[in-house]
Amino acid sequence: MNTHLWHPCTQMQHLESLPPLKIARGEGAWLIDTEGRRHLDAISSWWVNLFGHCNPRINAALIDQLGQIEHVMLAGCSHTPVLELSERLARLTGLDHAFYGSDGASAVEIALKMSFHTWKNAGRPQKTGFVSLKNSYHGETLGALSVTDVAIFRDTYAPLLRHTHQVASPDARQAQAGETAVDVARRAAADLEAWLQHNADTTAALIVEPLVQCAAGMAMHDPEYLRLARTLCDRYAVHLIADEIAVGFGRTGTLFACEQAGIRPDFICLSKGITGGYLPLACVLTTDAVYDGFYNADVRLGFLHSHSYTGNPLACRAALAVLDIFEAEEVLAQNRVKAAAFNRLLEPLRQHPRVRHFRNKGMIWAFDVADAAPGFARDFHSKARASGVLLRPIGNTVYFMPPYVVGEAEIALLAETCLNLLDQTSKSAAVPVITAAPAVP
Ligand SMILES: *Cc1c(COP(=O)(O)O)cnc(C)c1O
């Protein structure tokens, strides 16, 4: 095995028993390996791909852009793709000012720093704290990891992290008998309020993953939580940061998840799907109020943050092509039709005796598996892989987040593969080779 390449989110020794797939080509929702085997990309290559691999429209936009300008620094320069993208994202989010980064984690760093700096510029430098939800995931750089609550990623680095506070998650699976998802949301909001009552003076922002806490295992909540969080953040003068890095660009059924709650956050973090899964790009959009707080003759009151590839023209062109596709192909409406058909195909899975909390939001499906043996996620992943389906369960949660170009035949294959595996991977039949592996997405 080639050990020059150190894989992300991987115990390299585990690759001895399951070497990585070597992908040669992509075609729509399919990946084709160097031996010509086809694999259904049911998780959109870590939630980034929207319109399939080698999408003709995005390819054409990039080829066109390559003939013009590949990159120019964004301090002291600008270019048409980044100007046009900023304008379009402003219109779509209702947040007028776009600041660019490279990956999701860099967007989270930007939002955290910008929030703190806004309060500092406003004469409230003691607002240095951040609050996030239990089981939240916001990325792996030190600032983003500080507001992340996933033990396997966080615990090792705990001595390096800022102290932050976690409030109750509105995860609807916590509903007691007779309770609705709205009840759970209200209970979680009460926990947030209890925290803010005593700590708002030292808190800069609340950061949330709207509607679906993806890395937590596709934990879904009612939009009521976001409405209440918005109200509380206003009441206690704390910013609301919406981390839509995973859920943005149609995953939850609307272009942005916050729309379903009818709220506007103070900051929205976008990445992953923004380029259709082509190139790294992140964007933080914010309000006039935040922007105006930095606008001054004094350079130190400005937001002196940068990444070398900020607003890369190729990435911005891919993002513009993505927005064009959403419009031209009425993607959100088409996805609603698709999701209804997919739910019918997945009905036998919902009915399976080992399936718990089968859930769907937009183009995301998930269920928890009862009697999952230790190592379930890796076992399920490797067996699905042998059937030509790329899945990476999180703990005992199996989920599908396919590119929007998938069809019914592909969803039927997913359902069939999972039904077979659920019958094979019960507690007693679990393969003992795999030792308790971390539940990584
Ligand atoms: C993936 C993700 C991030 C981090 O993005 P990277 O591009 O991997 O750095 C942050 N927040 C959420 C909600 C994510 O899903």
Side-chain angles (χ1 to χ4, degrees):
M1 199 183 68
N2 182 337
T3 59
H4 294 305
L5 170 59
W6 194 339
H7 289 268
C9 202
T10 299
Q11 170 47 268
M12 291 297 287
Q13 199 186 72
H14 286 167
L15 298 183
E16 286 179 15
S17 55
L18 190 70
L21 286 176
K22 196 168 171 196
I23 300 303
R25 296 187 300 118
E27 240 176 53
W30 292 85
L31 296 165
I32 298 130
D33 69 23
T34 46
E35 285 163 46
R37 283 184 303 241
R38 292 164 66 83
H39 307 266
L40 178 60
D41 187 359
I43 53 173
S44 296
S45 285
W46 254 351
W47 320 344
V48 299
N49 192 287
L50 298 184
F51 301 123
H53 298 280
C54 285
N55 179 284
R57 287 183 81 136
I58 306 176
N59 283 9
L62 286 174
I63 290 164
D64 179 63
Q65 185 59 39
L66 275 172
Q68 299 182 46
I69 177 73
E70 76 300 329
H71 183 68
V72 62
M73 64 179 173
L74 212 57
C77 300
S78 79
H79 49 82
T80 306
V82 79
L83 290 168
E84 196 186 323
L85 183 61
S86 306
E87 213 176 290
R88 286 175 77 174
L89 289 176
R91 219 177 316 126
L92 293 167
T93 59
L95 294 163
D96 274 345
H97 309 279
F99 194 99
Y100 291 87
S102 34
D103 296 281
S106 74
V108 170
E109 301 289 341
I110 289 163
L112 298 177
K113 283 178 69 178
M114 223 181 234
S115 170
F116 157 75
H117 197 168
T118 302
W119 294 118
K120 182 173 154 72
N121 282 355
R124 303 188 67 178
Q126 71 284 9
K127 281 168 87 71
T128 58
F130 298 101
V131 54
S132 62
L133 302 186
K134 292 233 163 65
N135 305 319
S136 56
Y137 180 89
H138 298 291
E140 319 235 6
T141 53
L142 294 178
L145 196 56
S146 294
V147 288
T148 287
D149 183 43
V150 178
I152 185 75
F153 299 138
R154 191 191 151 99
D155 287 359
T156 306
Y157 306 102
L160 305 184
L161 303 180
R162 284 184 59 75
H163 180 74
T164 65
H165 184 73
Q166 277 66 53
V167 289
S169 161
D171 179 355
R173 287 174 298 181
Q174 299 167 100
Q176 311 283 324
E179 262 192 335
T180 63
V182 174
D183 296 326
V184 179
R186 292 190 176 137
R187 200 149 26 86
D191 189 51
L192 172 63
E193 176 151 36
W195 166 261
L196 291 176
Q197 268 169 358
H198 297 106
N199 300 280
D201 284 349
T202 53
T203 300
L206 164 71
I207 181 166
V208 298
E209 297 158 85
L211 298 188
V212 189
Q213 292 182 274
C214 295
M218 304 298 153
M220 300 182 183
H221 59 255
D222 191 275
E224 177 73 357
Y225 183 76
L226 302 173
R227 282 189 286 274
L228 293 170
R230 178 69 278 180
T231 305
L232 291 171
C233 285
D234 287 339
R235 184 178 306 154
Y236 290 95
V238 163
H239 289 139
L240 176 60
I241 303 172
D243 177 351
E244 296 223 16
I245 290 163
V247 295
F249 298 96
R251 291 288 182 199
T252 67
T254 43
L255 192 62
F256 299 112
C258 283
E259 294 169 29
Q260 292 180 47
I263 61 145
R264 192 182 72 150
D266 299 291
F267 301 89
I268 188 168
C269 300
L270 305 175
S271 189
K272 291 203 165 114
I274 193 171
T275 61
Y278 266 65
L279 288 160
L281 180 71
C283 185
V284 177
L285 289 119
T286 190
T287 60
D288 289 340
V290 168
Y291 180 79
D292 291 346
F294 290 84
Y295 200 80
N296 196 284
D298 185 345
V299 69
R300 286 163 311 170
L301 298 186
F303 190 58
L304 306 186
H305 179 104
S306 64
H307 297 284
S308 306
Y309 282 97
T310 292
N312 172 265
L314 288 165
C316 290
R317 269 305 285 280
L320 289 169
V322 162
L323 294 180
D324 289 343
I325 294 171
F326 268 106
E327 281 176 21
E329 299 179 13
E330 295 181 330
V331 171
L332 297 173
Q334 292 300 324
N335 280 357
R336 276 195 288 280
V337 176
K338 279 191 172 184
F342 294 174
N343 272 317
R344 285 191 290 277
L345 290 167
L346 295 171
E347 189 55 28
L349 203 48
R350 179 199 287 275
Q351 300 286 345
H352 192 278
R354 293 184 69 204
V355 168
R356 304 282 183 278
H357 297 296
F358 186 98
R359 50 201 182 274
N360 162 236
K361 184 73 88 180
M363 290 294 279
I364 305 173
W365 286 263
F367 55 90
D368 304 339
V369 176
D371 299 326
F376 168 82
R378 290 185 67 220
D379 187 31
F380 200 93
H381 163 77
S382 79
K383 288 187 165 130
R385 192 171 120 170
S387 316
V389 172
L390 192 59
L391 288 170
R392 286 174 65 104
I394 301 171
N396 70 335
T397 298
V398 178
Y399 73 90
F400 314 136
M401 200 195 281
Y404 304 156
V405 295
V406 281
E408 296 191 19
E410 284 139 348
I411 297 297
L413 171 68
L414 270 179
E416 185 196 314
T417 305
C418 288
L419 285 167
N420 286 338
L421 291 184
L422 286 177
D423 292 335
Q424 280 171 38
T425 59
S426 65
K427 206 185 260 168
S428 49
V431 178
V433 173
I434 292 156
T435 51
V440 293

